[in-house]
Amino acid sequence: MPSWTDSVRFAFQPVVNLTTGGVSALEILARPEAGDILAQARRDPELDGRLAALAIRAAARKETLLPLHVNVFAGTLADLGGLAALREAVREAGRLPWEVTVDIGPPYTHVPQHALLEAVTAVRAEGFRICADGVGDGDVPLRLLTDLAPELMKLDVSLLTRPAAVRAMRTLCEQLGALLSVEGVETESQCAAAVSAGAQLAQGDLFAPPARLPAADVYVPALSPAHSASPRSGPSVRQFVRPAALLPAMASAGQVRALLTGSPEVSGVLLVNASGVPVRSVHRSRFLLSMSARYGHALYADRPAAKLGDPPRTVGVDATAWEVLDVVADGDRDRTSDDVAVVDRYGRCVGVVRLADLVRALAESRVEEAAALNPLTRLPGSDAITGEVDRRIADGRLFALSWLDVDHFKQVNDGAGFAAGDELIRSVGRALQHAASGATRVGHIGGDDFLVLADPDTLDPLATSLLDAPWSAGGRAITLSLATVLCAPGSVTDHRQAAACLAPLKKAAKALNGASWVLGRAGLPGHEVRRGPGTAAVRPSGQAVAG
């Protein structure tokens, strides 16, 4: 009689790193050729556990080195208290538990939560990583989601139409130290929304549909970075993590050689202990050079590969690209091309980063940043400010967007000459930079127009320093106009709407004589004249005093 396993085949779908465009893992999907074995597995934990084990064996037959994701129902974990069949399959395949992520999926209704959490603790203790799957389209309770503390959270693509919910999930991921992924991405607009939402990973037919053979080549549309950072903090190392080639600490040199020669894309191998902590790093070129030397194979093939390795270089998952460069710079110059291991809070390896990836990304960001600077003031243009506005909107933050310009600037140029006008603009730009503090961002959008993005509590000192300064050009006294719109969470949807709210405030400020400041609130009518004819001077304390 044919076995039920004869009617099940498996397909592989890449999980894509949205920053590097590389494949970070493969999800293994059961594809029954007859019947509804998945519905049976939902009711039969033993069957579901065996399906997960079969998925690992299917991946082993395809000889992929990429990390793997296997699907298990929440009820299966709670009922079995662990995944013995999966653990055995991973061992037989020569894989390590921390190379496998268990995607726990709904339904959660009627699943005993205490038993589920105990099982997750046991599976995690064995080295497996935990993913909460189907968030947003399933029935996982929010409290249980927090208690699970997954290393990865997968959102259903439908949640992208509800930005507030995505912001909440991203905040939760940041608190838990988890990565955020979006599954079911089919269009470029959905991909852009996933990046804007702060997702680090994604999967779906846009990148590559499920296929019988593991795919390493995927389509990723050109996207702007999801996050910005100060020049020194730099992008997170999470954006550059590649899958690591891992072998047990006592692996022989012959085993390492077989892995390297069979996988030309692998730049090095990390030898890890039973807990997944890197103990030695084997560099591809140096290792193969030693093995190919005279008597090299005879001397080393059956001996531990650790003898041909070096102490590993490691950084935490919360490190920045600059911190990785510091690790490389502080080490032996002969090892600048070595992979740097990225480890989780337990010290276990979750991947590697390559120096070339970091240098390329940082160099490109510097080129793009330099190209966007205004040549007169060396301040960024509008794109940098509007991009940050969108990020603060996505984060649900209260912010103030201000526009600043010189009153009657054309008369300055006509009367004092363009050189005096240019020097005035440079002086205003320097004053803006000097007044900016904390999270304040300033930009020069051309001519005498500047943008300021700030937290509301920094507005008064900034306005005082700019509007009270004795400006002049060519012997003429000069005044400035400032217009500000306060944007509360939910009051605007993007930078375009914020700019539309700012436009009438700018007009109102320009209608006032002398130094002026007009403040309004997005979504609310009217405005407040904070500085202008008949108003008091604004002091840093925020209190108005008679002037």
Side-chain angles (χ1 to χ4, degrees), residues 464 468 517 530-532 534-547:
T464 298
D468 285 354
W517 179 20
R530 301 295 302 276
R531 179 71 66 87
T535 62
V538 178
R539 299 303 176 194
S541 64
Q543 299 298 317
V545 297

Side-chain angles (χ1 to χ4, degrees), residues 104-190:
I104 305 174
Y108 287 85
T109 304
H110 306 307
V111 172
Q113 295 188 10
H114 183 71
L116 175 60
L117 292 173
E118 284 189 341
V120 166
T121 299
V123 169
R124 183 178 274 130
E126 293 174 359
F128 294 98
R129 304 181 73 209
I130 300 298
C131 166
D133 200 358
V135 176
D137 194 42
D139 60 345
V140 55
L142 185 58
R143 184 176 64 183
L144 176 61
L145 188 60
T146 304
D147 292 341
L148 285 173
E151 283 80 16
L152 174 65
M153 196 180 298
K154 287 187 178 180
L155 302 186
D156 185 82
V157 71
S158 63
L159 211 61
L160 292 177
T161 61
R162 297 164 176 81
V166 177
R167 289 196 298 270
M169 290 299 102
R170 191 176 75 176
T171 300
L172 180 58
C173 282
E174 291 171 353
Q175 294 294 321
L176 297 176
L179 294 175
L180 182 66
S181 180
V182 177
E183 54 186 350
V185 176
E186 297 181 349
T187 66
E188 293 196 7
S189 62
Q190 289 175 338

Side-chain angles (χ1 to χ4, degrees), residues 12 23-28 52-53 55-70 86-101 126-128 214 243-248 255 259 263 265-266 272-274 276:
F12 302 86
V23 178
S24 66
L26 293 170
E27 181 173 354
I28 316 171
I56 294 295
R57 294 189 175 99
R61 289 194 294 271
K62 304 302 181 183
E63 297 183 345
T64 176
L65 292 175
L66 286 165
L68 305 172
H69 287 243
V70 295
L86 175 65
R87 181 175 64 249
E88 182 62 22
V90 169
R91 187 192 63 78
E92 291 175 357
R95 301 300 290 261
L96 300 168
W98 44 90
E99 297 178 83
V100 178
T101 298
E126 293 174 359
F128 294 98
L246 305 176
L247 284 175
Q255 289 175 294
L259 189 157
S263 306
E265 75 281 3
V266 173
V272 296
N273 65 17

Side-chain angles (χ1 to χ4, degrees), residues 99-476:
E99 297 178 83
V100 178
T101 298
V102 178
D103 288 11
I104 305 174
Y108 287 85
T109 304
H110 306 307
V111 172
Q113 295 188 10
H114 183 71
L116 175 60
L117 292 173
E118 284 189 341
V120 166
T121 299
V123 169
R124 183 178 274 130
E126 293 174 359
F128 294 98
R129 304 181 73 209
I130 300 298
C131 166
D133 200 358
V135 176
D137 194 42
D139 60 345
V140 55
L142 185 58
R143 184 176 64 183
L144 176 61
L145 188 60
T146 304
D147 292 341
L148 285 173
E151 283 80 16
L152 174 65
M153 196 180 298
K154 287 187 178 180
L155 302 186
D156 185 82
V157 71
S158 63
L159 211 61
L160 292 177
T161 61
R162 297 164 176 81
V166 177
R167 289 196 298 270
M169 290 299 102
R170 191 176 75 176
T171 300
L172 180 58
C173 282
E174 291 171 353
Q175 294 294 321
L176 297 176
L179 294 175
L180 182 66
S181 180
V182 177
E183 54 186 350
V185 176
E186 297 181 349
T187 66
E188 293 196 7
S189 62
Q190 289 175 338
C191 183
V195 172
S196 178
Q200 294 98 347
L201 306 172
Q203 61 189 103
D205 289 353
L206 173 67
F207 311 107
R212 297 295 188 189
L213 295 176
D217 295 323
V218 294
Y219 168 73
V220 180
L223 296 166
S224 59
H227 300 283
S228 68
S230 65
R232 185 55 195 168
S233 64
S236 168
V237 72
R238 294 172 185 258
Q239 300 178 19
F240 306 98
V241 174
R242 292 173 175 260
L246 305 176
L247 284 175
M250 295 310 296
S252 69
Q255 289 175 294
V256 172
R257 183 178 184 276
L259 189 157
L260 292 175
T261 55
S263 306
E265 75 281 3
V266 173
S267 56
V269 176
L270 287 173
L271 305 179
V272 296
N273 65 17
S275 299
V277 177
V279 294
R280 300 293 282 180
S281 174
V282 179
H283 184 267
R284 179 188 187 91
S285 298
R286 295 198 299 273
F287 174 83
L288 292 179
L289 185 62
S290 297
M291 290 291 288
S292 62
R294 190 176 186 182
Y295 307 122
H297 189 272
L299 284 172
Y300 299 117
D302 296 326
R303 294 187 178 183
K307 293 183 177 295
L308 295 176
D310 299 288
R313 293 174 168 176
T314 62
V315 295
V317 292
D318 295 322
T320 66
W322 288 108
E323 289 173 311
V324 178
L325 292 183
D326 288 341
V327 169
V328 174
D330 290 342
D332 191 333
R333 291 184 180 180
D334 293 336
R335 297 187 59 195
T336 54
S337 62
D338 286 21
D339 293 342
V340 177
V342 181
V343 297
D344 63 15
R345 59 182 179 272
Y346 304 109
R348 300 180 307 198
C349 179
V350 298
V352 295
V353 291
R354 295 179 180 176
L355 179 63
D357 290 342
L358 300 183
V359 171
R360 186 182 305 112
L362 292 173
E364 288 175 354
S365 68
R366 287 293 179 268
V367 171
E368 292 174 359
E369 181 182 305
L373 296 180
N374 186 286
L376 186 61
T377 59
R378 308 304 294 169
L379 288 174
S382 61
D383 286 349
I385 303 300
T386 56
E388 180 63 20
V389 168
D390 285 337
R391 280 184 282 276
R392 296 194 187 192
I393 292 172
D395 289 340
R397 295 172 58 184
L398 170 67
F399 65 88
L401 180 63
S402 300
W403 163 89
L404 175 80
D405 85 338
V406 177
D407 294 329
H408 311 298
F409 182 65
K410 186 176 184 303
Q411 296 178 17
V412 174
N413 275 342
D414 291 345
F418 70 87
D422 286 352
E423 181 54 36
L424 175 62
I425 295 302
R426 279 192 286 266
S427 298
V428 173
R430 288 193 293 268
L432 266 176
Q433 285 180 299
H434 181 74
S437 62
T440 301
R441 301 287 182 267
V442 298
H444 183 191
I445 59 178
D448 62 324
D449 292 320
F450 295 85
L451 282 178
V452 182
L453 177 62
D455 292 333
D457 58 2
T458 66
L459 285 174
D460 287 347
L462 185 143
T464 298
S465 64
L466 268 296
L467 300 181
D468 285 354
W471 300 104
S472 65
R476 300 166 55 105

